[in-house]
Amino acid sequence: MQSIHDCYTLSNGVRIPCVGYGTYKAAEANNADVIRMAVDAGYRYFDTASFYETESYVAEALKSSGVAREDVFLASKMWKDEMGYEQAKAAFARTLERLKTDYLDLYLIHWPRPDAEYADWKQLDLDTWRALEELYRMGKVRAIGVSNFLPQHIENLLQNSTVKPMVNQIEFHPGYAQEATVRYCQSHGIQVQAWSPMGRARVLNDALVQELAAKYSVSAAQICLRYAVQRGVIPLPKASSRQRMEQNQDLFRFAIAQEDMFRLDTMPQTGWSGLHPDL
């Protein structure tokens, strides 16, 4: 990978950029300005979700930019209360309407269960996945996948469905690398993506991350993002300033040495959001 526009190839042959722009809380001013700035900064992969309430802002930013739809990779996710066969199809239709498009490049189930007490989550996941399979076969979405699914959740789909998830989007950053899930996905040909790829302030201020930032003459954020790139994980950073947006793309003029990658791999748990799919 030499730039954010270089692509991985998903298991079904669809090409997906190696870095995207995350839109969670990217429109807190209730307008499309920040997302339009990301378009102008060069991002062409935008990750959104019904829960983020940024889909309409993504559509507005892209329309005003003049960038052609086929030159953009659009991904969205259904929320916990949109799961189920009919509900998922209805949620997808609402997402298309808000994004002002007639297809998505990627559509994900946001979480594997509505809450920790939901006993029959396996059947709910299968009903929801059946709707995504149908949308995929109809050509309404080019690739389908999951988010925050652990191996036990994905196994349920693999054993009882006909289309394998092509993507799993999880929390991933130094200090919370989710080794079991990453290794499981990569061994099954499922592309891993990272939400919160820079962790939180505790990660960016961590002594090791700061040490490596100084060593490689880059920012702490760039260390975290480069770590994901070298692990074969797609980071989805969010930034609200043009300078940060451009800095977060500058990941390809340096490489983290293997010894330092091992040090990042083995950091104590740091900066975890506290969110767990089963709790």
Side-chain angles (χ1 to χ4, degrees), residues 39-92:
V39 178
D40 293 342
Y43 288 96
R44 292 295 182 268
Y45 172 13
F46 293 89
D47 176 78
T48 183
S50 59
F51 178 74
Y52 299 172
E53 299 184 344
T54 55
E55 291 171 324
S56 60
Y57 297 123
V58 171
E60 183 182 342
L62 291 173
K63 181 180 179 180
S64 67
S65 74
V67 175
R69 171 66 183 89
E70 59 268 23
D71 293 331
V72 177
F73 194 98
L74 284 182
S76 193
K77 302 178 278 292
M78 74 180 69
W79 189 237
K80 298 175 181 180
D81 59 4
E82 296 175 314
M83 298 174 71
Y85 176 72
E86 294 295 345
Q87 295 92 324
K89 291 198 296 183
F92 181 81

